[in-house]
């Protein structure tokens, strides 16, 4: 699929979905009011800026071993003032060869004001280009109109496309599987060299079965925020149709490994409890 065909497909999906969606304004208002009344709002805001850098190690073929992949997801940067400065500090201190950003750059969903992307563009303009590039995909909070702005700031967006990002590494990126349901794994894997290692990017874990069936090796996603608010002994609310064990951290589907990011930002409001925001560095290590 050519870049213009991919962008046009996403624009058509937005026209259909934005027409019938208005978000959950009453639910969000109730959540905000309840947190303010409980006195937890200030603590939750502090937590939402308490970014943790986590490391994950994966066993891979020798041709990609040694690569370090810095993974951002669900930054929603215009929703948490000051978060972009925190992320910049941690990214600059985390050596990596490739940066991947699995969607949800902004807070709102359905309409777009260019100011909503400003903190993301501020951050991108200050990042030194990684050796094998900075790559992103669209999430369910994103619109196609954001793509040229992100790309002009140095983040190449893959919409149902794949590219040989590094020697022996096929990087596949699909469109949003959650709201827009426009992910096309077969298009993103088209052209993949037979012996390459496939790193597959999707906004949510909801197309992991399809990616595994088509031979992807490592599936990176986000969307669920790990629940964002977690209480001990209670299962968190998770906004995805994927099996529950795929909604937070590491998972396995056949031979394919997967990882669902807890999110670097917050949605609904800048509030986190029991589930800190994170930056993840994935280390590809040689097969034993
Ligand atoms: Fe999302």
């Amino acid at each position: 699929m050519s870049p213009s065909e991919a962008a046009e497909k996403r624009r058509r999906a937005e026209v259909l979905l934005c027409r019938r969606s208005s978000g959950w304004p009453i639910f969000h208002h109730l959540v905000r009011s309840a947190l303010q009344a409980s006195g937890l709002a200030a603590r939750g805001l502090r937590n939402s800026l308490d970014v943790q850098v986590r490391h994950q190690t994966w066993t891979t073929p020798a041709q990609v071993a040694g690569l370090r992949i810095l993974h951002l997801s669900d930054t929603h940067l215009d929703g948490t003032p000051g978060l972009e400065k925190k992320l910049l500090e941690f990214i600059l201190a985390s050596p990596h060869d490739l940066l991947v950003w699995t969607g949800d750059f902004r807070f709102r969903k359905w309409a777009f004001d260019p100011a909503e992307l400003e903190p993301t563009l501020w951050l991108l303009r200050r990042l030194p280009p990684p050796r094998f590039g900075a790559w992103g995909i669209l999430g369910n909070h994103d619109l196609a109109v954001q793509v040229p702005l992100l790309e002009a700031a140095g983040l190449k967006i893959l919409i149902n496309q794949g590219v040989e990002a590094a020697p022996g590494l096929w990087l596949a990126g699909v469109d949003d599987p959650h709201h827009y349901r426009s992910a096309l794994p077969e298009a993103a894997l088209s052209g993949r060299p037979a012996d390459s290692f496939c790193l597959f990017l999707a906004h949510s874990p909801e197309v992991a079965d399809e990616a595994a069936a088509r031979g992807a090796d490592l599936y990176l996603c986000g969307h669920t925020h790990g629940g964002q608010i977690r209480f001990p002994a209670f299962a968190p609310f998770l906004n995805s149709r994927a099996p529950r064990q795929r909604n937070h951290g590491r998972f396995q589907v056949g031979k394919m490994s997967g990882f669902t990011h807890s999110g670097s930002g917050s949605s609904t409001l800048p509030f986190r409890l029991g589930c800190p925001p994170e930056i993840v560095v994935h280390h590809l290590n040689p097969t034993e």
Side-chain angles (χ1 to χ4, degrees), residues 17-29 32 107-111 140-141 179-180 268:
L17 195 65
C18 292
R19 212 179 261 158
R20 61 173 198 263
S21 301
S22 58
W24 293 15
I26 296 172
F27 172 74
H28 291 170
H29 177 74
R32 272 193 205 99
F107 205 59
R108 281 200 304 170
K109 283 180 189 161
W110 310 118
N140 60 305
H141 283 245
H179 277 150
Y180 294 103
T268 303

Side-chain angles (χ1 to χ4, degrees), residues 46-86:
R46 274 198 308 277
N47 292 346
S48 70
L49 288 164
D50 185 21
V51 179
Q52 314 282 309
V53 179
R54 297 216 164 92
H55 296 267
Q56 298 289 331
T57 301
W58 306 95
T59 301
T60 62
Q63 84 249 29
V64 292
L67 283 181
R68 298 157 301 177
I69 301 161
L70 191 138
H71 183 189
L72 299 172
S73 195
D74 302 272
T75 38
H76 301 282
L77 278 178
D78 54 319
T80 307
L83 180 60
E84 69 276 22
K85 295 186 177 69
K86 285 267 180 192

Side-chain angles (χ1 to χ4, degrees), residues 224-241:
T224 65
H225 296 208
Q228 193 167 309
I229 298 173
R230 297 173 77 103
F231 295 102
F234 287 95
F237 168 74
L238 294 168
N239 56 345
S240 120
R241 295 177 293 274

